[in-house]
Amino acid sequence: MRLDSKYFDRIRTRRKREQETEQAPPVCQWDGCDKKGVHRAPVGRNAEGQFFLFCFEHVKEYNKGYNYFSGLSDGEIARYQKEAVTGHRPTWTVGVNKAAKDSPLHSDIRSGAYSRVRDPFGFVSGAKGSGPRFPEPRKLKSLEAKAFDTMGLQASATSAEIKTRYKELVKKHHPDANGGDRGSEERFRAVIQAYQLLKQNGFC
């Protein structure tokens, strides 16, 4: 290409970037200090996100006397700490809605004391509404059935009946009441174990 070509004048070259003037670091905001203020310190309560800029020595001095809760009473501080657990957002107690309130406990569902199928419209049970689920006969485990047999009770016995029967059997088979009879002592132990098992499993 010739130097006097018409195309030569149209070629544009990238200009060199003008060197940006370096911005001087801020000065420490502590009265009478002219050092670089590169360390941030919080302004205080109700000014979140705002900071003072101090040098290293003065930011240490500022942080020693900094108290976020200055000016608040003990009650206000306690309320703030309580609300901080939930991030200062509103909360509701568990089960404020009716469906959760009427639902059985998780332990009752697992034990089989309640039906596992919800029937809010009464298609299966024939009763409308989203009321509580009605208990079904509980399927006994082998040890539970043996405990009822030891106590001489039916599986449908109520808590009061179990307790009454337990008191009767303890009085009857206690070693003090039988003059140390070995057979009665074994029966006494079996009754106690059976009662403890029924109690642990929620029958009484």
Side-chain angles (χ1 to χ4, degrees):
M1 181 186 319
R2 299 193 322 249
L3 290 177
D4 60 346
S5 168
K6 63 179 181 178
Y7 301 109
F8 186 76
D9 292 336
R10 294 181 183 176
I11 297 174
R12 292 174 184 258
T13 58
R14 209 180 271 173
R15 291 183 182 180
K16 290 182 180 179
R17 275 188 189 172
E18 297 177 4
Q19 293 181 352
E20 296 179 1
T21 57
E22 291 185 5
Q23 193 175 6
V27 180
C28 177
Q29 290 180 307
W30 196 273
D31 290 339
C33 181
D34 56 354
K35 293 181 182 176
K36 294 178 182 178
V38 293
H39 300 283
R40 300 192 312 174
V43 172
R45 193 165 27 87
N46 300 326
E48 282 77 6
Q50 298 177 28
F51 300 94
F52 292 121
L53 293 173
F54 294 123
C55 63
F56 182 69
E57 295 299 323
H58 288 134
V59 79
K60 285 199 303 183
E61 189 71 25
Y62 179 82
N63 285 339
K64 281 180 187 176
Y66 179 75
N67 181 5
Y68 184 81
F69 298 107
S70 63
L72 293 180
S73 66
D74 291 343
E76 290 171 325
I77 293 172
R79 195 182 89 202
Y80 181 91
Q81 290 172 336
K82 184 179 178 183
E83 290 174 355
V85 174
T86 58
H88 302 284
R89 291 187 295 272
T91 58
W92 295 268
T93 55
V94 177
V96 292
N97 56 336
K98 192 175 186 304
K101 197 173 184 179
D102 294 336
S103 295
L105 297 174
H106 183 66
S107 58
D108 290 340
I109 296 171
R110 288 189 65 191
S111 68
Y114 284 86
S115 170
R116 293 177 186 269
V117 179
R118 294 199 68 183
D119 186 22
F121 298 106
F123 293 126
V124 178
S125 63
K128 288 187 178 180
S130 57
R133 300 176 204 162
F134 296 100
E136 291 182 351
R138 183 169 174 176
K139 187 176 180 183
L140 296 179
K141 297 175 184 173
S142 58
L143 287 176
E144 293 170 351
K146 187 177 178 183
F148 274 110
D149 189 45
T150 302
M151 301 277 291
L153 293 169
Q154 297 291 326
S156 59
T158 63
S159 174
E161 290 172 346
I162 294 171
K163 289 176 183 176
T164 304
R165 182 68 174 156
Y166 171 69
K167 288 176 184 176
E168 290 173 2
L169 291 173
V170 165
K171 285 180 184 177
K172 181 178 178 183
H173 296 289
H174 195 277
D176 293 343
N178 291 299
D181 183 12
R182 283 288 180 190
S184 185
E185 189 176 327
E186 291 297 323
R187 175 84 173 133
F188 177 71
R189 283 198 195 115
V191 167
I192 292 175
Q193 288 175 355
Y195 179 74
Q196 291 295 332
L197 179 76
L198 294 177
K199 189 174 181 181
Q200 288 171 2
N201 291 333
F203 288 96
C204 57

